[in-house]
Amino acid sequence: MKPPKFLTSRSTVIALLIAISVALLVASSVPQRASTGGKIPEWVGKLPDSLLFLSTQLGLDNIVGSAWFATLVSLFWVSLVISTVSQYSATRAQANRIPSAAVPQESIRVETPLAAFVEQVTAAGYSQSGNADGVYRFVKNRIGYWGNFLLHIGLVTAVFFSLVYVVTQHRVLIRLTGQELTRLTPANVQEMRGVLPQQQNLPYSAVLKKLEPRFWGNDKLEYLSSELYFTDKPGGDPQRVDVALSDKSQFGPYIVYQANAYGRVYDLEFQTPQGETHRERLYLPYPPKRDVASYGEMAIAGTDLLLKGKYFADVGHTSMKLNPSPITLRLHRGKELLGEVSLTSGTREQLGPLTVRLAQSEWWTDILLDGTRGTSGIFTGFALILAGVLSSYCLVPREIIVRDVGGEIFVQQVTRRFAQFYREEFEELIKHTHSRGVI
């Protein structure tokens, strides 16, 4: 079997569709690196050595970004291209064909002269589309013939740019702290790259100037926005970029998105009994309700101690709007509680064997930079698919075939879709034509 026939055979197309569908189903049910900001999912670390090929060779932790998934989509796209070329040839032949001069049984003989009937058909919205050997073809909604072809073009476009999206995938997740200049490097961001990622430079720096969350009366998040400033090179002028959960922006080659992750960050200064001082940063999400605290924990570097913290959005538990309450810290060694304190900004307390001071508290949020290509092409493909469907089902082409046999006029209606819907239109035309002939 020749390659084009093999790629367009029903069994091949079905097999490719099943393989792609199963891959996407697995990707939606198994945690992927795309959903963890580029980090290796937890389940991969729990695999025994004998099953590590699931992530290293099969790439089941990054299915959409794997080479084998791109190969499947490529084969499916080639199959669509070949099918679309065939569809073009078939549609062109159908749109320009001239029926044979033989009079079919379903034809109706009319008493009206040819010129008068042509005038009547034209007035009904039909346009002549060729004639030969006494056969005249009139078509209404000629563009409807191209609906299936337009549908195929849309599929080819959508699949092609989906492939572009897969192979050029480049997403960068950054965590910003309020009022703090963050130098963006591969070491302090989380990146997701596809099979053939473009070598795009990261913005030089970013600053979270302002974070604004708003809440509904039931304490659910209504709105979240950030005022950001990016620079593209050292010493460059900061460029303001405003984003919200439902409002993306652009900076250079990247689309900037607001992630639904935010809260308060606490800079804590610890001092050991020996006088050694170091600083730790504790990130806590925003509380889910006004009377429910936010919790978080972190291991203190260089020790076997675990620090746990909690805070409320409002000191009086009456609102979700930030009204800074003290942060409560607990220090543990294993299951043993070593101490508990509540701190406000600038205060210092003894926490177990350590002295702790709250240096500052600020907002934090995650921002996504997406440099992947192909998104606009995917939506263009969907638009073409919709146009093709509308053309096929809302602009159904109808034909009136007129045959002049020795001065006798025979008329036939040809409708390949919803023929009964348009039978009344044809009968009304014939009825009107007969009445004119009698006159």
Side-chain angles (χ1 to χ4, degrees):
M1 183 181 295
K2 294 181 179 180
K5 289 186 177 181
F6 172 75
L7 287 173
T8 56
S9 68
R10 179 175 297 181
S11 58
T12 300
V13 173
I14 292 176
L16 287 173
L17 280 173
I18 291 175
I20 293 173
S21 299
V22 170
L24 292 175
L25 181 62
V26 173
S28 64
S29 57
V30 176
Q32 303 286 289
R33 275 190 277 161
S35 61
T36 59
K39 292 182 179 180
I40 297 177
E42 186 177 346
W43 65 268
V44 175
K46 297 179 179 179
L47 290 175
D49 293 342
S50 59
L51 295 179
L52 283 179
F53 70 92
L54 294 176
S55 62
T56 56
Q57 298 178 21
L58 296 182
L60 294 187
D61 60 336
N62 186 27
I63 290 177
V64 175
S66 64
W68 62 265
F69 183 78
T71 301
L72 285 177
V73 177
S74 298
L75 291 173
F76 184 58
W77 179 74
V78 172
S79 175
L80 280 174
V81 169
I82 298 173
S83 177
T84 301
V85 172
S86 300
Q87 183 69 36
Y88 173 79
S89 300
T91 301
R92 185 178 179 182
Q94 183 183 28
N96 297 325
R97 70 179 183 85
I98 301 296
S100 67
V103 179
Q105 292 183 353
E106 64 269 20
S107 297
I108 298 175
R109 182 175 179 273
V110 297
E111 303 295 335
T112 308
L114 178 61
F117 185 76
V118 168
E119 179 183 350
Q120 183 67 21
V121 170
T122 303
Y126 289 80
S127 58
Q128 187 169 344
S129 182
N131 65 87
D133 301 326
V135 180
Y136 301 84
R137 181 169 176 258
F138 299 86
V139 180
K140 190 174 187 178
N141 292 337
R142 182 184 177 88
I143 192 175
Y145 285 119
W146 295 94
N148 284 337
F149 174 71
L150 194 59
L151 176 63
H152 277 71
I153 288 290
L155 288 171
V156 167
T157 302
V159 172
F160 174 76
F161 283 102
S162 296
L163 180 62
V164 170
Y165 187 91
V166 168
V167 300
T168 67
Q169 184 178 189
H170 185 200
R171 300 199 295 172
V172 182
L173 186 67
I174 58 178
R175 176 160 291 185
L176 298 178
T177 299
Q179 314 304 320
E180 183 176 278
L181 178 68
T182 302
R183 173 76 172 89
L184 303 184
T185 67
N188 63 2
V189 302
Q190 299 173 17
E191 287 189 275
M192 276 289 299
R193 291 184 175 271
V195 180
L196 299 173
Q198 294 180 327
Q199 297 302 315
Q200 299 174 139
N201 294 325
L202 291 171
Y204 180 76
S205 66
V207 175
L208 173 62
K209 186 68 175 178
K210 181 180 178 182
L211 182 76
E212 182 185 359
R214 293 204 302 262
F215 301 89
W216 299 104
N218 60 359
D219 294 349
K220 298 294 185 181
L221 183 66
E222 174 189 2
Y223 177 80
L224 179 65
S225 67
S226 294
E227 179 184 328
L228 309 170
Y229 287 86
F230 287 95
T231 59
D232 57 357
K233 59 183 179 181
D237 293 331
Q239 178 180 327
R240 178 171 173 170
V241 177
D242 293 312
V243 293
L245 284 179
S246 57
D247 187 13
K248 61 183 181 293
S249 293
Q250 185 89 27
F251 180 79
Y254 294 97
I255 300 175
V256 185
Y257 295 92
Q258 171 70 61
N260 189 13
Y262 70 105
R264 300 294 292 181
V265 58
Y266 296 89
D267 286 334
L268 304 169
E269 293 180 352
F270 292 94
Q271 187 174 29
T272 66
Q274 293 77 28
E276 297 176 353
T277 302
H278 67 281
R279 176 175 288 197
E280 299 284 354
R281 175 163 279 182
L282 177 62
Y283 288 94
L284 297 179
Y286 205 70
K289 291 186 177 182
R290 66 188 67 190
D291 56 350
V292 177
S294 170
Y295 294 88
E297 62 182 42
M298 61 174 290
I300 299 180
T303 71
D304 59 351
L305 303 177
L306 180 67
L307 181 71
K308 297 185 178 182
K310 70 173 184 178
Y311 76 102
F312 291 89
D314 176 61
V315 66
H317 305 175
T318 60
S319 171
M320 284 297 289
K321 186 176 181 180
L322 182 66
N323 179 18
S325 64
I327 179 173
T328 299
L329 300 176
R330 291 181 177 180
L331 191 65
H332 293 260
R333 178 182 283 119
K335 295 183 178 180
E336 181 185 3
L337 176 63
L338 302 181
E340 178 177 340
V341 295
S342 293
L343 297 175
T344 57
S345 184
T347 59
R348 184 186 300 271
E349 297 286 348
Q350 189 70 30
L351 180 62
L354 305 175
T355 301
V356 60
R357 174 179 174 269
L358 176 57
Q360 69 169 358
S361 174
E362 275 291 349
W363 288 107
W364 69 264
T365 190
D366 287 343
I367 299 296
L368 177 66
L369 307 180
D370 194 345
T372 310
R373 295 291 178 261
T375 304
S376 59
I378 294 173
F379 284 108
T380 300
F382 288 150
L384 290 173
I385 291 172
L386 179 60
V389 172
L390 292 176
S391 296
S392 295
Y393 289 93
C394 299
L395 297 175
V396 178
R398 281 96 75 190
E399 299 180 13
I400 299 294
I401 309 300
V402 181
R403 292 176 174 86
D404 185 354
V405 182
E408 293 184 328
I409 306 301
F410 294 89
V411 181
Q412 173 195 8
Q413 183 190 43
V414 178
T415 306
R416 287 175 172 76
R417 184 177 286 118
F418 311 134
Q420 293 300 320
F421 289 175
Y422 302 104
R423 185 64 184 176
E424 185 177 346
E425 176 188 64
F426 178 65
E427 291 174 350
E428 186 66 25
L429 178 64
I430 296 299
K431 179 181 178 181
H432 191 48
T433 301
H434 273 296
S435 65
R436 286 191 59 181
V438 172
I439 293 174

